[in-house]
Amino acid sequence: METDCTTQNPPPLPAGTRLLHIGPHKTGTTSVQAALFAARDAMAAHGVDFPAHTRHPMEAALAACARPAMMGDTVPTEGHWRRLVEQVQATGTRTSVVSSEFFADAEGDETIARIVRELGGPGALAGGAEPGTPGRPHVLVTLRPPAKILPSQWQQYVQNGLRMGYEDWLDHMLRKPPYEKPTPSFWRRHRHDRLVERWAGVVGPERVTVVVVDDRDRGGLLRTFESLLALPAGLLKEVPEAANRSLTSAETEMLRRLNIEFRGHGLPDELYSALVRNGAVLRMKSSCAPGPDDHRIHTPRWALEEAAAVGAEAGARIGALGVRVVGDLSLLAEAPSGAHGQPGPPAPGIAPEVAAQALYGALAATAALPGAGTVRSVHRTSSRELLRVLGHRALRGMRRR
């Protein structure tokens, strides 16, 4: 086993390698994908291709893993996957890189083997061609401490329609075997030792690199990609993206309450995708920067301790798998200090129930507009038309009282 606990600059992979970054979620994947996509022309000049036509080939990865789309989004199809495979195969013997955290959702050796075989070409699986054969894939796994992932992953689930509160969700994930409800994907992604073991069992441990992300080293992850791909230092640059920030405690609670209303009134999933996640939430994240009085999501001490124990066990097991490790596996046992684990902050500064009811009213009004069967965005609905429908609904509500 090669373990490097002092540097983020591992030796380059052989020319012609197809680097497959599988995440998992909340380990810097969006930043990596944005940097790779922005630098795709510059990378090509150095012999490295970014074959996907979008920053993140999410639909292709979901189709390959037989996973559903985000709530209300485009249904992933075999066509999405075939297009990505063709784009990767077109790179020939050049080095290429594909990144999607949704590959971490792959269940079973057969699914992983298909992904590896079709992206990597002949000799892609363990026991095939000799290491370094052009076209053979190399799997890259980026990891962060589970204790740090818990709040960001929960709020991401809320952005996909989850209605369960944070502490209740933590109780299910950490204290209620088999720890699969209501979000079975969580431990499939974040029981990191098992994730690495699944992929190493298919490609061979010598074809897997694990990178432990150190949050104190901004830019360290991009430097690791530059080293593995033999790119000049500084070619990959961080792309500012406010829309990727996590929600605050109050924002998440508002959205969770909206999810309860949304499901309770039976609105279509497509409306949620268009108007909530890709409308209201996206606008909120890109336009509203959290202030000093906005509280982060609070994780109780018991949950931090249990997640840290999982991280410690995972780190020990990964260290014995024979994969290459860049970074310090002991970081996986870290838990945030400071406000986390202390008595929780006061109630959010806004009234989540009021905000949720107001936003639900706008969504319901839009759903009732003519032609709502082919979901129409609030931004494409005139203010006069929206006010007219809201007024009719308000009058009907008053008459019922």
Side-chain angles (χ1 to χ4, degrees):
M1 176 187 68
E2 294 182 60
T3 302
D4 188 340
C5 296
T6 60
T7 180
Q8 292 294 118
N9 299 302
L13 297 168
T17 295
R18 291 175 179 173
L19 183 61
L20 177 58
H21 177 212
I22 67 168
H25 295 65
K26 304 304 175 184
T27 60
T29 53
T30 300
S31 296
V32 167
Q33 290 153 7
L36 291 171
F37 190 66
R40 61 193 183 281
D41 292 338
M43 290 196 304
H46 293 279
V48 179
D49 290 332
F50 185 81
H53 288 167
T54 60
R55 187 197 70 187
H56 179 198
M58 180 173 65
E59 291 86 1
L62 288 170
C65 298
R67 302 295 300 161
M70 300 281 282
M71 181 177 168
D73 281 1
T74 301
V75 176
T77 66
E78 182 67 13
H80 289 110
W81 173 243
R82 299 275 21 118
R83 281 191 290 275
L84 178 62
V85 169
E86 290 167 3
Q87 290 162 2
V88 172
Q89 290 176 346
T91 65
T93 59
R94 289 168 60 86
T95 300
S96 60
V97 54
V98 173
S99 173
S100 176
E101 57 269 38
F102 286 98
F103 283 124
D105 286 352
E107 290 188 87
D109 291 350
E110 290 185 7
T111 299
I112 295 174
R114 182 202 178 197
I115 294 169
V116 170
R117 182 177 59 251
E118 296 191 9
L119 289 182
L125 306 182
E130 291 298 316
T133 299
R136 260 204 98 191
H138 191 97
V139 175
L140 177 63
V141 189
T142 47
L143 302 180
R144 293 178 67 240
K148 293 184 177 182
I149 288 173
L150 286 170
S152 55
Q153 184 68 91
W154 172 73
Q155 61 90 31
Q156 193 66 51
Y157 284 129
V158 172
Q159 291 182 56
N160 195 35
L162 181 68
R163 290 164 285 173
M164 183 176 286
Y166 187 40
E167 294 210 24
D168 196 10
W169 180 80
L170 289 172
D171 193 46
H172 279 72
M173 292 296 100
L174 295 167
R175 289 180 166 176
K176 292 186 176 180
Y179 316 109
E180 293 178 349
K181 294 180 180 181
T183 51
S185 63
F186 180 78
W187 287 120
R188 188 184 310 122
R189 299 168 178 173
H190 300 300
R191 182 65 206 214
H192 294 147
D193 49 339
R194 296 173 188 166
L195 173 65
V196 174
E197 188 175 34
R198 285 197 299 272
W199 285 80
V202 173
V203 300
E206 74 281 359
R207 307 298 299 181
V208 176
T209 293
V210 171
V211 178
V212 183
V213 178
D214 188 343
D215 292 338
R216 297 165 295 189
D217 182 13
R218 285 185 66 90
L221 183 55
L222 294 183
R223 292 200 304 274
T224 298
F225 271 80
E226 289 171 345
S227 296
L228 289 171
L229 297 170
L231 295 171
L235 187 142
L236 297 179
K237 295 180 173 60
E238 187 174 355
V239 178
E241 189 170 8
N244 189 46
R245 72 167 177 85
S246 293
L247 298 177
T248 65
S249 177
E251 290 168 341
T252 310
E253 183 62 11
M254 178 191 72
L255 182 57
R256 188 183 72 82
R257 300 286 185 94
L258 172 61
N259 291 346
I260 293 171
E261 293 295 329
F262 191 94
R263 282 301 189 199
H265 290 80
L267 293 177
D269 288 355
E270 293 79 9
L271 197 65
Y272 190 92
S273 172
L275 300 183
V276 180
R277 185 171 56 253
N278 295 310
V281 174
L282 186 62
R283 175 73 177 178
M284 180 171 60
K285 291 199 293 183
S286 62
S287 301
C288 306
D293 296 328
D294 290 314
H295 296 289
R296 294 182 301 167
I297 296 168
H298 168 76
T299 304
R301 174 54 55 187
W302 70 264
L304 293 176
E305 291 173 350
E306 294 199 25
V310 172
E313 182 180 348
R317 290 195 65 212
I318 291 170
L321 290 176
V323 300
R324 174 163 59 175
V325 178
V326 178
D328 187 353
L329 285 169
S330 69
L331 291 179
L332 297 181
E334 281 193 346
S337 57
H340 288 272
Q342 302 301 318
I350 63 173
E353 187 66 31
V354 173
Q357 292 290 352
L359 186 52
Y360 168 72
L363 294 174
T366 306
L369 291 172
T374 56
V375 178
R376 182 157 35 148
S377 168
V378 166
H379 303 294
R380 294 165 57 191
T381 302
S382 71
S383 299
R384 179 176 297 180
E385 191 174 7
L386 191 56
L387 287 171
R388 177 181 60 78
V389 175
L390 285 171
H392 285 317
R393 282 181 170 264
L395 286 173
R396 287 202 303 269
M398 293 174 65
R399 289 173 186 145
R400 293 192 191 105
R401 292 174 182 170

